[in-house]
Amino acid sequence: MSTSAGKILSLWLAGIVSVYAVSIILAELEISTKFNSGFWLLLLGAWLLAWLFVERLSAIADTPDIFSLIRNIAIPVIFGLWLLLGWEVVVRGFDIPQVLLPPPSMIAARFAASLPILWADFQQTFLKAVLIGYVLGCGSGFLIAIVIDRSPFLRRGLLPIGNLVSALPIIGVAPIMVMWFGFDWQSKAAVVVVMTFFPMLVNMLAGLSAANNMQLDLMKTYGANYWQTLLKLRLPEALPFIFNALKINSTLALIGAIVAEFFGTPIVGMGFRISTEVGRMNVDMVWAEIAVAALAGSAFYSVIALIERKLTFWHPSMRA
């Protein structure tokens, strides 16, 4: 057996022991919420064992591809599970009121029992308001940046206005959009457009200026016109800036749509559900909606990052 294989086997055995320790802890959680010193020592030991497991697993470099893939998946999963376990233990061990902070088990139970409601809210907020507003905001910012690039007058006039609009608070913009576009998802998409337009515009203009003079002179030597230079040189050089704006806007769009729903919406949507359930003191449902938003935002960001890695593999940051 090779050294790397032996290390992996020993670490997985340590992981099994950690799982067994977790099962004992969870069994104790079902018995009582008042823990003795032995329980806390058991918890500390399990935490230390899991930390050693993840630390040693991260240090192994010379592993086959399949083990590298398993390791890269296992480390964040184990880390996340232990954070949830710590949350559960702290809330139950110190008898924190559920209205202040419900345990993850309670949130998971509400999540499983409310899947139809959560799916309807996800459709209203993410699939309609976020995605449509994101595409319109980023797309218009991209196109207008190309127009501005050919007009120094527009560049000097529009950028200061863009900086002013981007500094406007969302709680001031959202009610206006609701009055203009109504209470349905269209007004939330309009808020997303406002929030995502100028980050894309500014990053796109910066990206179009990324090509150096030597590269531009080479294109002139080849007799390339403006559009050929734009498509074959300046846009590829601007890709890191474009994806930077896309990743920033992926989080801004979700935040903007949820906050905009606080100011008027049909009886569906993540923001509507959060504001309503807080008033009813159903904090577990609020956390379930937060979990949906976190999962959707993380998946959205990851898809954009994956596309960026495929298209900008030549960039030094990707090679590193």
Side-chain angles (χ1 to χ4, degrees), residues 52-117:
L52 176 63
F53 172 61
V54 173
E55 186 72 18
R56 294 294 300 274
L57 190 62
S58 302
I60 297 178
D62 54 337
T63 58
D65 291 339
I66 183 63
F67 288 116
S68 296
L69 178 61
I70 294 174
R71 180 188 61 183
N72 293 337
I73 296 174
I75 290 175
V77 169
I78 294 172
F79 185 78
L81 290 176
W82 277 92
L83 284 180
L84 292 176
L85 177 63
W87 179 354
E88 183 88 20
V89 169
V90 169
V91 170
R92 293 188 181 273
F94 291 100
D95 290 329
I96 298 176
Q98 294 179 353
V99 70
L100 296 180
L101 184 63
S105 59
M106 183 179 178
I107 299 172
R110 175 53 72 96
F111 190 100
S114 306
L115 286 178
I117 296 176

Short mmCIF file of all heavy atoms in Angstrom, two decimals, residues 52-117:
data_model
loop_
_atom_site.label_atom_id
_atom_site.label_comp_id
_atom_site.label_asym_id
_atom_site.label_seq_id
_atom_site.Cartn_x
_atom_site.Cartn_y
_atom_site.Cartn_z
N LEU A 52 -8.56 17.40 13.26
CA LEU A 52 -7.37 16.66 12.84
C LEU A 52 -7.62 15.95 11.53
O LEU A 52 -6.76 15.92 10.64
CB LEU A 52 -6.99 15.65 13.93
CG LEU A 52 -5.80 14.73 13.61
CD1 LEU A 52 -4.53 15.56 13.43
CD2 LEU A 52 -5.62 13.69 14.70
N PHE A 53 -8.82 15.38 11.38
CA PHE A 53 -9.17 14.68 10.15
C PHE A 53 -9.10 15.61 8.94
O PHE A 53 -8.49 15.30 7.92
CB PHE A 53 -10.57 14.09 10.32
CG PHE A 53 -11.15 13.50 9.06
CD1 PHE A 53 -10.53 12.44 8.42
CD2 PHE A 53 -12.32 14.01 8.52
CE1 PHE A 53 -11.06 11.90 7.27
CE2 PHE A 53 -12.86 13.48 7.38
CZ PHE A 53 -12.23 12.41 6.75
N VAL A 54 -9.73 16.78 9.06
CA VAL A 54 -9.75 17.73 7.94
C VAL A 54 -8.36 18.30 7.69
O VAL A 54 -7.92 18.46 6.55
CB VAL A 54 -10.76 18.87 8.22
CG1 VAL A 54 -10.67 19.95 7.15
CG2 VAL A 54 -12.17 18.31 8.28
N GLU A 55 -7.61 18.58 8.75
CA GLU A 55 -6.27 19.15 8.61
C GLU A 55 -5.33 18.18 7.90
O GLU A 55 -4.61 18.57 6.97
CB GLU A 55 -5.72 19.50 10.00
CG GLU A 55 -4.40 20.23 9.99
CD GLU A 55 -4.52 21.66 9.52
OE1 GLU A 55 -5.64 22.19 9.52
OE2 GLU A 55 -3.49 22.24 9.14
N ARG A 56 -5.35 16.93 8.30
CA ARG A 56 -4.47 15.94 7.65
C ARG A 56 -4.92 15.64 6.23
O ARG A 56 -4.09 15.43 5.34
CB ARG A 56 -4.46 14.67 8.49
CG ARG A 56 -3.83 14.81 9.87
CD ARG A 56 -2.34 15.11 9.77
NE ARG A 56 -1.64 14.06 9.08
CZ ARG A 56 -1.17 12.95 9.66
NH1 ARG A 56 -1.35 12.77 10.97
NH2 ARG A 56 -0.53 12.03 8.97
N LEU A 57 -6.22 15.61 6.02
CA LEU A 57 -6.73 15.37 4.68
C LEU A 57 -6.35 16.49 3.72
O LEU A 57 -6.03 16.26 2.55
CB LEU A 57 -8.25 15.21 4.73
CG LEU A 57 -8.94 14.70 3.45
CD1 LEU A 57 -8.47 13.31 3.11
CD2 LEU A 57 -10.46 14.72 3.61
N SER A 58 -6.33 17.73 4.22
CA SER A 58 -5.97 18.87 3.38
C SER A 58 -4.49 18.85 3.03
O SER A 58 -4.08 19.41 2.01
CB SER A 58 -6.31 20.17 4.10
OG SER A 58 -7.67 20.24 4.42
N ALA A 59 -3.67 18.24 3.90
CA ALA A 59 -2.22 18.29 3.70
C ALA A 59 -1.74 17.27 2.68
O ALA A 59 -0.59 17.36 2.22
CB ALA A 59 -1.51 18.05 5.03
N ILE A 60 -2.56 16.30 2.30
CA ILE A 60 -2.15 15.28 1.34
C ILE A 60 -2.20 15.88 -0.06
O ILE A 60 -3.23 16.33 -0.52
CB ILE A 60 -3.05 14.04 1.43
CG1 ILE A 60 -2.93 13.40 2.81
CG2 ILE A 60 -2.68 13.04 0.35
CD1 ILE A 60 -3.82 12.20 2.99
N ALA A 61 -1.05 15.88 -0.74
CA ALA A 61 -0.99 16.49 -2.07
C ALA A 61 -0.86 15.46 -3.18
O ALA A 61 -1.42 15.61 -4.25
CB ALA A 61 0.18 17.48 -2.14
N ASP A 62 -0.09 14.37 -2.94
CA ASP A 62 0.21 13.42 -4.00
C ASP A 62 -0.84 12.30 -4.03
O ASP A 62 -0.58 11.15 -3.71
CB ASP A 62 1.60 12.83 -3.82
CG ASP A 62 1.79 12.22 -2.43
OD1 ASP A 62 1.05 12.61 -1.51
OD2 ASP A 62 2.68 11.36 -2.30
N THR A 63 -2.06 12.65 -4.39
CA THR A 63 -3.15 11.68 -4.45
C THR A 63 -3.65 11.57 -5.89
O THR A 63 -3.53 12.51 -6.67
CB THR A 63 -4.32 12.11 -3.55
OG1 THR A 63 -4.77 13.40 -3.96
CG2 THR A 63 -3.88 12.16 -2.10
N PRO A 64 -4.19 10.41 -6.26
CA PRO A 64 -4.81 10.28 -7.59
C PRO A 64 -5.97 11.26 -7.74
O PRO A 64 -6.47 11.82 -6.77
CB PRO A 64 -5.28 8.82 -7.62
CG PRO A 64 -4.48 8.13 -6.58
CD PRO A 64 -4.20 9.15 -5.52
N ASP A 65 -6.39 11.42 -8.98
CA ASP A 65 -7.44 12.40 -9.26
C ASP A 65 -8.72 12.11 -8.51
O ASP A 65 -9.38 13.01 -8.01
CB ASP A 65 -7.70 12.45 -10.78
CG ASP A 65 -6.53 13.04 -11.54
OD1 ASP A 65 -5.74 13.76 -10.90
OD2 ASP A 65 -6.42 12.79 -12.75
N ILE A 66 -9.10 10.82 -8.40
CA ILE A 66 -10.35 10.48 -7.75
C ILE A 66 -10.30 10.84 -6.27
O ILE A 66 -11.26 11.35 -5.69
CB ILE A 66 -10.67 8.97 -7.94
CG1 ILE A 66 -12.02 8.64 -7.33
CG2 ILE A 66 -9.55 8.12 -7.35
CD1 ILE A 66 -13.18 9.36 -7.95
N PHE A 67 -9.14 10.62 -5.64
CA PHE A 67 -9.02 10.98 -4.22
C PHE A 67 -8.98 12.49 -4.04
O PHE A 67 -9.48 13.01 -3.04
CB PHE A 67 -7.77 10.33 -3.62
CG PHE A 67 -7.89 8.85 -3.45
CD1 PHE A 67 -7.07 7.98 -4.15
CD2 PHE A 67 -8.83 8.31 -2.58
CE1 PHE A 67 -7.19 6.61 -3.99
CE2 PHE A 67 -8.95 6.94 -2.42
CZ PHE A 67 -8.13 6.09 -3.13
N SER A 68 -8.40 13.20 -4.98
CA SER A 68 -8.40 14.66 -4.90
C SER A 68 -9.82 15.20 -5.00
O SER A 68 -10.20 16.13 -4.28
CB SER A 68 -7.53 15.25 -6.02
OG SER A 68 -6.18 14.88 -5.88
N LEU A 69 -10.62 14.60 -5.89
CA LEU A 69 -12.01 15.04 -6.03
C LEU A 69 -12.79 14.76 -4.75
O LEU A 69 -13.53 15.62 -4.27
CB LEU A 69 -12.65 14.31 -7.22
CG LEU A 69 -14.12 14.62 -7.49
CD1 LEU A 69 -14.31 16.10 -7.81
CD2 LEU A 69 -14.64 13.76 -8.63
N ILE A 70 -12.60 13.55 -4.20
CA ILE A 70 -13.30 13.22 -2.96
C ILE A 70 -12.87 14.15 -1.84
O ILE A 70 -13.69 14.63 -1.04
CB ILE A 70 -13.02 11.75 -2.58
CG1 ILE A 70 -13.65 10.83 -3.63
CG2 ILE A 70 -13.57 11.43 -1.20
CD1 ILE A 70 -13.32 9.37 -3.42
N ARG A 71 -11.57 14.44 -1.77
CA ARG A 71 -11.08 15.31 -0.72
C ARG A 71 -11.65 16.71 -0.86
O ARG A 71 -12.08 17.32 0.14
CB ARG A 71 -9.54 15.38 -0.78
CG ARG A 71 -8.92 16.27 0.28
CD ARG A 71 -7.44 16.44 0.03
NE ARG A 71 -7.20 17.07 -1.27
CZ ARG A 71 -5.99 17.28 -1.78
NH1 ARG A 71 -4.92 16.87 -1.12
NH2 ARG A 71 -5.85 17.87 -2.94
N ASN A 72 -11.67 17.24 -2.06
CA ASN A 72 -12.17 18.60 -2.26
C ASN A 72 -13.66 18.72 -1.93
O ASN A 72 -14.13 19.79 -1.57
CB ASN A 72 -11.93 19.04 -3.71
CG ASN A 72 -10.46 19.20 -4.02
OD1 ASN A 72 -9.64 19.39 -3.12
ND2 ASN A 72 -10.10 19.09 -5.29
N ILE A 73 -14.40 17.62 -2.07
CA ILE A 73 -15.82 17.63 -1.70
C ILE A 73 -15.99 17.39 -0.21
O ILE A 73 -16.83 18.01 0.45
CB ILE A 73 -16.59 16.58 -2.53
CG1 ILE A 73 -16.56 16.94 -4.02
CG2 ILE A 73 -18.03 16.47 -2.04
CD1 ILE A 73 -17.18 15.90 -4.91
N ALA A 74 -15.17 16.46 0.33
CA ALA A 74 -15.35 16.05 1.72
C ALA A 74 -15.02 17.17 2.70
O ALA A 74 -15.71 17.33 3.72
CB ALA A 74 -14.49 14.83 2.02
N ILE A 75 -13.99 17.95 2.42
CA ILE A 75 -13.54 18.95 3.38
C ILE A 75 -14.62 20.00 3.66
O ILE A 75 -14.98 20.23 4.82
CB ILE A 75 -12.23 19.59 2.92
CG1 ILE A 75 -11.09 18.58 3.03
CG2 ILE A 75 -11.89 20.84 3.75
CD1 ILE A 75 -9.77 19.06 2.48
N PRO A 76 -15.19 20.67 2.63
CA PRO A 76 -16.24 21.65 2.96
C PRO A 76 -17.50 21.01 3.53
O PRO A 76 -18.18 21.62 4.36
CB PRO A 76 -16.52 22.33 1.60
CG PRO A 76 -16.01 21.40 0.58
CD PRO A 76 -14.86 20.69 1.19
N VAL A 77 -17.82 19.75 3.11
CA VAL A 77 -19.00 19.09 3.66
C VAL A 77 -18.83 18.82 5.14
O VAL A 77 -19.72 19.10 5.96
CB VAL A 77 -19.28 17.79 2.89
CG1 VAL A 77 -20.33 16.95 3.61
CG2 VAL A 77 -19.76 18.10 1.47
N ILE A 78 -17.66 18.28 5.50
CA ILE A 78 -17.41 17.99 6.92
C ILE A 78 -17.39 19.28 7.73
O ILE A 78 -17.96 19.36 8.83
CB ILE A 78 -16.09 17.22 7.07
CG1 ILE A 78 -16.21 15.83 6.43
CG2 ILE A 78 -15.69 17.09 8.54
CD1 ILE A 78 -14.91 15.09 6.36
N PHE A 79 -16.75 20.29 7.20
CA PHE A 79 -16.68 21.57 7.91
C PHE A 79 -18.07 22.14 8.13
O PHE A 79 -18.41 22.61 9.22
CB PHE A 79 -15.81 22.55 7.13
CG PHE A 79 -15.58 23.86 7.84
CD1 PHE A 79 -14.66 23.95 8.86
CD2 PHE A 79 -16.29 24.99 7.48
CE1 PHE A 79 -14.45 25.14 9.52
CE2 PHE A 79 -16.09 26.20 8.14
CZ PHE A 79 -15.16 26.27 9.16
N GLY A 80 -18.91 22.10 7.09
CA GLY A 80 -20.26 22.61 7.23
C GLY A 80 -21.10 21.82 8.21
O GLY A 80 -21.85 22.40 9.01
N LEU A 81 -20.97 20.48 8.17
CA LEU A 81 -21.72 19.66 9.11
C LEU A 81 -21.32 19.92 10.55
O LEU A 81 -22.18 19.96 11.45
CB LEU A 81 -21.52 18.18 8.77
CG LEU A 81 -22.18 17.69 7.48
CD1 LEU A 81 -21.82 16.24 7.22
CD2 LEU A 81 -23.69 17.87 7.53
N TRP A 82 -20.05 20.16 10.77
CA TRP A 82 -19.63 20.42 12.14
C TRP A 82 -20.04 21.81 12.60
O TRP A 82 -20.29 22.02 13.78
CB TRP A 82 -18.11 20.21 12.26
CG TRP A 82 -17.80 18.78 12.46
CD1 TRP A 82 -17.51 17.84 11.52
CD2 TRP A 82 -17.80 18.10 13.71
NE1 TRP A 82 -17.32 16.63 12.09
CE2 TRP A 82 -17.49 16.74 13.44
CE3 TRP A 82 -18.04 18.48 15.03
CZ2 TRP A 82 -17.41 15.79 14.45
CZ3 TRP A 82 -17.96 17.52 16.02
CH2 TRP A 82 -17.65 16.19 15.72
N LEU A 83 -20.13 22.75 11.69
CA LEU A 83 -20.69 24.05 12.07
C LEU A 83 -22.16 23.91 12.48
O LEU A 83 -22.59 24.51 13.47
CB LEU A 83 -20.56 25.04 10.91
CG LEU A 83 -19.18 25.63 10.64
CD1 LEU A 83 -19.23 26.57 9.44
CD2 LEU A 83 -18.65 26.37 11.86
N LEU A 84 -22.91 23.13 11.71
CA LEU A 84 -24.32 22.91 12.06
C LEU A 84 -24.45 22.18 13.40
O LEU A 84 -25.34 22.50 14.20
CB LEU A 84 -25.01 22.12 10.95
CG LEU A 84 -25.19 22.83 9.61
CD1 LEU A 84 -25.80 21.88 8.58
CD2 LEU A 84 -26.05 24.08 9.77
N LEU A 85 -23.57 21.22 13.61
CA LEU A 85 -23.62 20.51 14.89
C LEU A 85 -23.31 21.46 16.05
O LEU A 85 -23.97 21.43 17.10
CB LEU A 85 -22.63 19.35 14.88
CG LEU A 85 -22.52 18.56 16.19
CD1 LEU A 85 -23.84 17.88 16.52
CD2 LEU A 85 -21.40 17.54 16.12
N GLY A 86 -22.29 22.31 15.86
CA GLY A 86 -21.99 23.28 16.91
C GLY A 86 -23.14 24.23 17.17
O GLY A 86 -23.44 24.56 18.33
N TRP A 87 -23.81 24.65 16.12
CA TRP A 87 -25.00 25.50 16.25
C TRP A 87 -26.07 24.78 17.07
O TRP A 87 -26.66 25.35 18.00
CB TRP A 87 -25.49 25.84 14.85
CG TRP A 87 -26.71 26.69 14.75
CD1 TRP A 87 -27.52 27.12 15.76
CD2 TRP A 87 -27.29 27.21 13.54
NE1 TRP A 87 -28.56 27.87 15.26
CE2 TRP A 87 -28.44 27.93 13.91
CE3 TRP A 87 -26.94 27.11 12.20
CZ2 TRP A 87 -29.25 28.55 12.97
CZ3 TRP A 87 -27.74 27.73 11.26
CH2 TRP A 87 -28.87 28.45 11.63
N GLU A 88 -26.34 23.52 16.70
CA GLU A 88 -27.36 22.74 17.40
C GLU A 88 -27.03 22.59 18.88
O GLU A 88 -27.89 22.77 19.76
CB GLU A 88 -27.48 21.36 16.74
CG GLU A 88 -28.55 20.47 17.33
CD GLU A 88 -29.90 20.67 16.66
OE1 GLU A 88 -29.93 21.19 15.53
OE2 GLU A 88 -30.92 20.30 17.28
N VAL A 89 -25.78 22.26 19.18
CA VAL A 89 -25.38 22.03 20.57
C VAL A 89 -25.45 23.31 21.39
O VAL A 89 -25.94 23.32 22.53
CB VAL A 89 -23.95 21.44 20.61
CG1 VAL A 89 -23.41 21.44 22.03
CG2 VAL A 89 -23.95 20.03 20.04
N VAL A 90 -24.98 24.41 20.83
CA VAL A 90 -24.99 25.68 21.57
C VAL A 90 -26.43 26.11 21.87
O VAL A 90 -26.75 26.53 22.99
CB VAL A 90 -24.24 26.76 20.78
CG1 VAL A 90 -24.47 28.13 21.39
CG2 VAL A 90 -22.75 26.46 20.76
N VAL A 91 -27.30 26.02 20.86
CA VAL A 91 -28.69 26.46 21.06
C VAL A 91 -29.39 25.61 22.12
O VAL A 91 -30.05 26.13 23.02
CB VAL A 91 -29.46 26.41 19.73
CG1 VAL A 91 -30.95 26.63 19.96
CG2 VAL A 91 -28.93 27.48 18.78
N ARG A 92 -29.22 24.29 22.03
CA ARG A 92 -29.90 23.42 22.98
C ARG A 92 -29.20 23.40 24.34
O ARG A 92 -29.85 23.34 25.38
CB ARG A 92 -29.98 22.01 22.41
CG ARG A 92 -30.88 21.90 21.19
CD ARG A 92 -31.07 20.45 20.79
NE ARG A 92 -31.93 20.33 19.61
CZ ARG A 92 -33.25 20.27 19.65
NH1 ARG A 92 -33.87 20.33 20.81
NH2 ARG A 92 -33.96 20.15 18.54
N GLY A 93 -27.87 23.45 24.33
CA GLY A 93 -27.14 23.37 25.59
C GLY A 93 -27.33 24.58 26.47
O GLY A 93 -27.36 24.47 27.70
N PHE A 94 -27.48 25.74 25.87
CA PHE A 94 -27.66 26.97 26.64
C PHE A 94 -29.11 27.43 26.67
O PHE A 94 -29.39 28.55 27.09
CB PHE A 94 -26.77 28.08 26.07
CG PHE A 94 -25.31 27.83 26.29
CD1 PHE A 94 -24.52 27.32 25.27
CD2 PHE A 94 -24.71 28.10 27.51
CE1 PHE A 94 -23.17 27.10 25.46
CE2 PHE A 94 -23.36 27.87 27.71
CZ PHE A 94 -22.59 27.36 26.68
N ASP A 95 -30.02 26.58 26.19
CA ASP A 95 -31.45 26.88 26.23
C ASP A 95 -31.78 28.24 25.62
O ASP A 95 -32.54 29.03 26.19
CB ASP A 95 -31.98 26.82 27.67
CG ASP A 95 -32.00 25.40 28.21
OD1 ASP A 95 -32.20 24.47 27.40
OD2 ASP A 95 -31.80 25.21 29.42
N ILE A 96 -31.20 28.52 24.47
CA ILE A 96 -31.50 29.76 23.77
C ILE A 96 -32.93 29.71 23.24
O ILE A 96 -33.33 28.71 22.62
CB ILE A 96 -30.52 29.98 22.61
CG1 ILE A 96 -29.08 30.11 23.15
CG2 ILE A 96 -30.89 31.23 21.80
CD1 ILE A 96 -28.04 30.23 22.07
N PRO A 97 -33.74 30.73 23.49
CA PRO A 97 -35.13 30.69 23.01
C PRO A 97 -35.20 30.51 21.50
O PRO A 97 -34.43 31.12 20.75
CB PRO A 97 -35.68 32.05 23.44
CG PRO A 97 -34.81 32.48 24.58
CD PRO A 97 -33.44 31.93 24.29
N GLN A 98 -36.12 29.66 21.07
CA GLN A 98 -36.24 29.38 19.64
C GLN A 98 -36.65 30.60 18.84
O GLN A 98 -36.37 30.68 17.64
CB GLN A 98 -37.25 28.25 19.43
CG GLN A 98 -36.79 26.92 20.00
CD GLN A 98 -37.81 25.82 19.81
OE1 GLN A 98 -38.93 26.06 19.37
NE2 GLN A 98 -37.43 24.59 20.16
N VAL A 99 -37.31 31.55 19.46
CA VAL A 99 -37.70 32.76 18.75
C VAL A 99 -36.49 33.63 18.43
O VAL A 99 -36.54 34.44 17.50
CB VAL A 99 -38.73 33.56 19.58
CG1 VAL A 99 -38.08 34.18 20.80
CG2 VAL A 99 -39.42 34.61 18.72
N LEU A 100 -35.40 33.46 19.19
CA LEU A 100 -34.17 34.19 18.90
C LEU A 100 -33.30 33.44 17.90
O LEU A 100 -32.79 34.04 16.95
CB LEU A 100 -33.39 34.43 20.19
CG LEU A 100 -34.05 35.32 21.24
CD1 LEU A 100 -33.16 35.47 22.46
CD2 LEU A 100 -34.38 36.69 20.65
N LEU A 101 -33.11 32.15 18.11
CA LEU A 101 -32.28 31.36 17.21
C LEU A 101 -32.72 29.90 17.28
O LEU A 101 -32.39 29.19 18.23
CB LEU A 101 -30.80 31.48 17.61
CG LEU A 101 -29.81 30.76 16.69
CD1 LEU A 101 -29.85 31.37 15.28
CD2 LEU A 101 -28.40 30.83 17.25
N PRO A 102 -33.48 29.43 16.31
CA PRO A 102 -33.90 28.02 16.32
C PRO A 102 -32.74 27.11 15.95
O PRO A 102 -31.84 27.50 15.21
CB PRO A 102 -35.00 27.98 15.25
CG PRO A 102 -34.67 29.10 14.33
CD PRO A 102 -34.04 30.18 15.18
N PRO A 103 -32.73 25.88 16.44
CA PRO A 103 -31.67 24.93 16.08
C PRO A 103 -31.82 24.46 14.64
O PRO A 103 -32.92 24.51 14.07
CB PRO A 103 -31.88 23.78 17.07
CG PRO A 103 -33.32 23.85 17.43
CD PRO A 103 -33.68 25.31 17.40
N PRO A 104 -30.74 24.00 14.03
CA PRO A 104 -30.83 23.53 12.63
C PRO A 104 -31.83 22.40 12.43
O PRO A 104 -32.45 22.31 11.36
CB PRO A 104 -29.40 23.07 12.34
CG PRO A 104 -28.54 23.84 13.27
CD PRO A 104 -29.35 24.01 14.51
N SER A 105 -32.00 21.52 13.44
CA SER A 105 -32.96 20.43 13.29
C SER A 105 -34.38 20.97 13.13
O SER A 105 -35.17 20.45 12.34
CB SER A 105 -32.88 19.51 14.50
OG SER A 105 -33.14 20.22 15.70
N MET A 106 -34.72 22.02 13.86
CA MET A 106 -36.04 22.63 13.76
C MET A 106 -36.22 23.30 12.40
O MET A 106 -37.30 23.22 11.77
CB MET A 106 -36.21 23.65 14.88
CG MET A 106 -37.57 24.32 14.94
SD MET A 106 -37.67 25.48 16.33
CE MET A 106 -39.31 26.14 16.09
N ILE A 107 -35.17 23.97 11.93
CA ILE A 107 -35.23 24.60 10.61
C ILE A 107 -35.38 23.55 9.52
O ILE A 107 -36.17 23.73 8.57
CB ILE A 107 -33.97 25.46 10.38
CG1 ILE A 107 -33.88 26.57 11.43
CG2 ILE A 107 -33.97 26.04 8.98
CD1 ILE A 107 -32.57 27.33 11.40
N ALA A 108 -34.64 22.44 9.64
CA ALA A 108 -34.74 21.37 8.64
C ALA A 108 -36.14 20.76 8.61
O ALA A 108 -36.67 20.45 7.54
CB ALA A 108 -33.69 20.30 8.93
N ALA A 109 -36.74 20.59 9.79
CA ALA A 109 -38.10 20.04 9.84
C ALA A 109 -39.09 20.98 9.17
O ALA A 109 -39.96 20.53 8.40
CB ALA A 109 -38.49 19.79 11.29
N ARG A 110 -38.98 22.28 9.42
CA ARG A 110 -39.88 23.24 8.77
C ARG A 110 -39.61 23.28 7.27
O ARG A 110 -40.54 23.41 6.46
CB ARG A 110 -39.69 24.62 9.39
CG ARG A 110 -40.49 25.73 8.70
CD ARG A 110 -41.96 25.38 8.58
NE ARG A 110 -42.64 25.44 9.85
CZ ARG A 110 -43.33 26.49 10.27
NH1 ARG A 110 -43.45 27.55 9.49
NH2 ARG A 110 -43.93 26.45 11.44
N PHE A 111 -38.35 23.18 6.88
CA PHE A 111 -37.98 23.17 5.46
C PHE A 111 -38.65 22.00 4.75
O PHE A 111 -39.26 22.16 3.68
CB PHE A 111 -36.46 23.07 5.33
CG PHE A 111 -35.94 23.29 3.94
CD1 PHE A 111 -35.41 24.51 3.57
CD2 PHE A 111 -35.97 22.26 3.00
CE1 PHE A 111 -34.92 24.71 2.28
CE2 PHE A 111 -35.49 22.45 1.72
CZ PHE A 111 -34.97 23.68 1.37
N ALA A 112 -38.55 20.81 5.33
CA ALA A 112 -39.14 19.63 4.71
C ALA A 112 -40.67 19.71 4.66
O ALA A 112 -41.28 19.21 3.71
CB ALA A 112 -38.70 18.38 5.47
N ALA A 113 -41.26 20.33 5.67
CA ALA A 113 -42.72 20.42 5.72
C ALA A 113 -43.29 21.53 4.85
O ALA A 113 -44.51 21.59 4.64
CB ALA A 113 -43.19 20.61 7.17
N SER A 114 -42.45 22.43 4.36
CA SER A 114 -42.93 23.62 3.62
C SER A 114 -42.38 23.67 2.20
O SER A 114 -42.25 24.75 1.63
CB SER A 114 -42.53 24.89 4.38
OG SER A 114 -42.97 24.86 5.72
N LEU A 115 -42.05 22.53 1.64
CA LEU A 115 -41.44 22.52 0.30
C LEU A 115 -42.33 23.18 -0.77
O LEU A 115 -41.82 23.94 -1.61
CB LEU A 115 -41.10 21.09 -0.11
CG LEU A 115 -39.88 20.47 0.59
CD1 LEU A 115 -39.68 19.03 0.14
CD2 LEU A 115 -38.62 21.30 0.31
N PRO A 116 -43.64 22.94 -0.81
CA PRO A 116 -44.46 23.63 -1.83
C PRO A 116 -44.43 25.15 -1.69
O PRO A 116 -44.35 25.87 -2.70
CB PRO A 116 -45.87 23.07 -1.59
CG PRO A 116 -45.65 21.76 -0.92
CD PRO A 116 -44.45 21.96 -0.05
N ILE A 117 -44.48 25.65 -0.46
CA ILE A 117 -44.44 27.10 -0.24
C ILE A 117 -43.08 27.65 -0.64
O ILE A 117 -42.98 28.69 -1.31
CB ILE A 117 -44.75 27.42 1.23
CG1 ILE A 117 -46.18 27.00 1.58
CG2 ILE A 117 -44.56 28.91 1.50
CD1 ILE A 117 -46.53 27.19 3.04
#
